[in-house]
Amino acid sequence: MEIRLENQVALVTGGSRGIGAAAVKALAAAGARLVFSYRKVGRAARQVVETSDAPSGHVIAVRADVARMADA
């Protein structure tokens, strides 16, 4: 089954490692533009952006702790 998400936008919280990173890569591969948050490890977040199957600027990492209202 192929999922196509062109012209769609996704938001992933905790997208720099593990399941979140896999979700970011899968959504990007399906054509979505997306933003994902990470809390601490900027290097891991940059690696997810760089290794995603998406045109430049389609995957954006934002440092935020979504448990904090100010960050959310």
Side-chain angles (χ1 to χ4, degrees):
M1 176 168 71
E2 183 177 348
I3 298 173
R4 299 306 322 155
L5 298 173
E6 288 88 5
N7 301 314
Q8 301 297 311
V9 177
L11 171 65
V12 177
T13 59
S16 65
R17 297 180 291 146
I19 294 170
V24 167
K25 290 178 181 181
L27 290 165
R33 292 176 181 245
L34 62 109
V35 175
F36 72 92
S37 67
Y38 69 97
R39 213 166 49 116
K40 292 182 182 177
V41 187
R43 182 174 54 218
R46 284 188 298 279
Q47 184 176 16
V48 171
V49 171
E50 292 168 1
T51 60
S52 66
D53 262 349
S56 179
H58 282 216
V59 178
I60 299 169
V62 176
R63 184 173 185 207
D65 180 353
V66 297
R68 295 183 47 173
M69 184 59 80
D71 286 0

